[in-house]
Amino acid sequence: MKKIKQFFSSVKLKVQNLFKRKNNVKDKKPTLKFKHRRFPKVIVASKHNFKKAWIFIVPLLVGGAGVTLGLLTRAKPDLEVNVEITDNKVNHRVFLLTDDNMVVPLSVSLEQKMTKAEEVMDIFNLLKDDCRYQNNTIRGYIPKETKLNAIDIENGLLTLDVTSEFETLPKKSIMHVVEALTYTFTSIDGVDSLRFRVDGCLVDKLAGDYQIPTVLNKSIGINRRLTSLSGKQNKEEVVMLYNRKIEQKDYYIPMTVDATKGETRVETVLNAIELKPSTHLNLQKVKEYSYLNLSNKPVVNEQTVSLDITKSGMVDEVTISKELYDLMNLTFDYSDIDLKVNLTFEGEDLAVDGVIDENDYQVSEIVYNEVKL
């Protein structure tokens, strides 16, 4: 019995010494425990591995002080992340006709091509008369049997050599067909003017006897009505944008108009804003034009034009409407005014909603009247 008591006393003493040693270690130095390794892991959640997703933001230098931010995101057990690789797409502007022969620009997305000639060919095919959009209310006009013999671009001049079917373009709408062709192909980057050949012969007439310049450019106008500037004093042609409903959707419609000539072409454009659209053409004024403060003269320098706006053109107290910004850039571009637009409120420069850097902004990249092919 005595030996048994001595045994348990010995065991008790050993256990006490063990706990004492552990407590001494803890008192001396705290330890940090890491699972697996001490460096953060990045785990991509997928259907094979979805337990946790860790996202770490690298240290940022803010105001001279180093601030390290970490963000931990826990994925749901059924989260599936798919990485989708999309084809390269580029936006193009093509000009088609409505049933009553109004030229309407459309923004379309096409697969990027390796060469400019392939790009031109894709656009040419979109203009054929078997291509129709918006429940057949917008249509192409090039006879569908027409083929391209050759494509040449030199010093900004695009020459299209086509087969003889091209000469059967519709007579009734030939003036607006020529406008639409010209604006479509001169909207291609690097193309400033256009001419046609039919089986090698230079074209100066279409649809029988409709005379055209051998070299076409945007000076021919768009949606021009049969009016003349002769006898009109102090008038100048510019292009304005109007709204028109097509299948319950609003479209921008560009139109060449006669406006009172200002001291600068910019002022002429602003004078044109005051013009009323033709009601018989079912056109309406674009409401964003009314957001301009026309009582203040524009400030024009070599690269920019500054326009003051009213509070209606503001998204909030410090941000300007992108719709108004896009509209004014398009308007000046259509009127061949190569200036960047700067919108101000009460003379103060403000940011444009959705535009990170106005220096990188390109008018050619504005998407409007978009249709899906």
Side-chain angles (χ1 to χ4, degrees):
M1 189 69 179
K2 185 177 180 180
K3 289 183 178 180
I4 293 173
K5 288 181 178 181
Q6 288 176 345
F7 171 76
F8 280 109
S9 296
S10 175
V11 171
K12 183 178 179 180
L13 181 60
K14 289 179 180 180
V15 171
Q16 289 174 340
N17 289 337
L18 178 62
F19 277 106
K20 186 176 180 180
R21 285 197 299 273
K22 287 186 176 180
N23 288 333
N24 288 339
V25 171
K26 289 180 179 179
D27 292 339
K28 288 179 182 178
K29 186 178 180 180
T31 59
L32 296 176
K33 293 185 178 180
F34 294 89
K35 186 177 181 180
H36 303 301
R37 46 183 161 175
R38 297 190 178 188
F39 299 101
K41 293 192 295 181
V42 176
I43 303 174
V44 178
S46 69
K47 59 185 178 182
H48 299 298
N49 183 359
F50 48 72
K51 290 184 178 179
K52 291 183 179 180
W54 295 79
I55 302 172
F56 287 88
I57 301 175
V58 296
L60 303 173
L61 189 61
V62 181
V67 179
T68 304
L69 300 176
L71 175 65
L72 173 65
T73 302
R74 184 180 297 276
K76 294 181 180 180
D78 60 347
L79 177 66
E80 181 174 336
V81 176
N82 295 318
V83 178
E84 183 180 355
I85 301 175
T86 58
D87 294 333
N88 289 331
K89 297 283 187 179
V90 290
N91 286 311
H92 287 288
R93 207 167 287 161
V94 296
F95 291 74
L96 301 180
L97 296 181
T98 62
D99 286 339
D100 59 348
N101 297 320
M102 181 74 69
V103 181
V104 54
L106 299 180
S107 291
V108 296
S109 181
L110 298 176
E111 186 177 343
Q112 190 170 20
K113 297 298 185 180
M114 296 293 292
T115 67
K116 188 69 73 176
E118 290 176 298
E119 183 180 328
V120 169
M121 190 175 296
D122 278 353
I123 293 171
F124 185 85
N125 289 330
L126 290 177
L127 305 181
K128 291 190 175 181
D129 57 14
D130 59 347
C131 292
R132 302 184 74 88
Y133 308 89
Q134 288 301 97
N135 295 328
N136 294 331
T137 56
I138 300 174
R139 58 182 171 80
Y141 37 81
I142 296 176
K144 63 182 179 181
E145 299 86 2
T146 309
K147 295 180 176 59
L148 280 167
N149 295 323
I151 300 168
D152 179 71
I153 303 175
E154 186 175 354
N155 297 324
L157 172 62
L158 170 64
T159 302
L160 298 179
D161 192 324
V162 296
T163 55
S164 59
E165 291 86 357
F166 187 74
E167 294 179 311
T168 62
L169 286 166
K171 284 188 176 183
K172 184 179 178 181
S173 55
I174 188 60
M175 182 177 78
H176 299 305
V177 166
V178 173
E179 293 173 349
L181 285 166
T182 303
Y183 271 77
T184 293
F185 289 108
T186 56
S187 294
I188 297 174
D189 189 33
V191 176
D192 303 315
S193 54
L194 170 72
R195 68 181 176 184
F196 289 98
R197 293 180 182 275
V198 172
D199 293 329
C201 297
L202 192 62
V203 173
D204 60 3
K205 289 182 181 180
L206 286 173
D209 57 356
Y210 184 76
Q211 194 81 32
I212 65 168
T214 53
V215 175
L216 297 159
N217 56 46
K218 290 180 180 177
S219 66
I220 67 168
I222 187 166
N223 284 317
R224 185 194 297 276
R225 300 299 104 181
L226 294 176
T227 59
S228 172
L229 282 175
S230 60
K232 297 181 181 179
Q233 297 295 322
N234 300 319
K235 295 289 184 179
E236 186 177 10
E237 287 188 343
V238 292
V239 177
M240 291 300 298
L241 289 165
Y242 296 101
N243 271 336
R244 188 181 194 187
K245 278 196 181 298
I246 302 175
E247 291 294 310
Q248 304 305 311
K249 179 180 175 182
D250 281 326
Y251 284 80
Y252 278 161
I253 304 294
M255 175 174 280
T256 299
V257 298
D258 302 334
T260 302
K261 190 172 184 178
E263 294 180 9
T264 64
R265 189 161 173 80
V266 169
E267 290 187 19
T268 304
V269 169
L270 298 183
N271 290 338
I273 290 175
E274 303 286 1
L275 298 174
K276 292 182 179 180
S278 301
T279 54
H280 72 280
L281 297 174
N282 298 318
L283 299 176
Q284 294 179 330
K285 194 171 182 178
V286 179
K287 68 176 182 179
E288 281 80 10
Y289 280 136
S290 66
Y291 300 162
L292 294 172
N293 185 1
L294 296 178
S295 62
N296 291 345
K297 291 190 68 172
V299 178
V300 182
N301 60 34
E302 291 182 358
Q303 295 181 326
T304 63
V305 50
S306 294
L307 305 169
D308 208 36
I309 67 171
T310 65
K311 198 164 186 177
S312 299
M314 305 285 291
V315 175
D316 53 43
E317 293 182 356
V318 295
T319 314
I320 291 171
S321 161
K322 187 175 185 295
E323 286 76 12
L324 175 57
Y325 187 71
D326 286 346
L327 175 65
M328 294 314 300
N329 274 287
L330 282 171
T331 300
F332 288 133
D333 184 63
Y334 270 115
S335 292
D336 199 27
I337 298 175
D338 188 19
L339 294 172
K340 284 189 173 293
V341 174
N342 178 46
L343 299 180
T344 64
F345 178 64
E346 295 181 347
E348 183 180 354
D349 292 344
L350 297 174
V352 178
D353 186 37
V355 178
I356 297 174
D357 188 348
E358 292 180 27
N359 292 322
D360 294 334
Y361 179 92
Q362 298 292 329
V363 178
S364 60
E365 294 177 2
I366 299 174
V367 175
Y368 64 102
N369 296 356
E370 185 176 18
V371 295
K372 303 293 184 183
L373 299 180

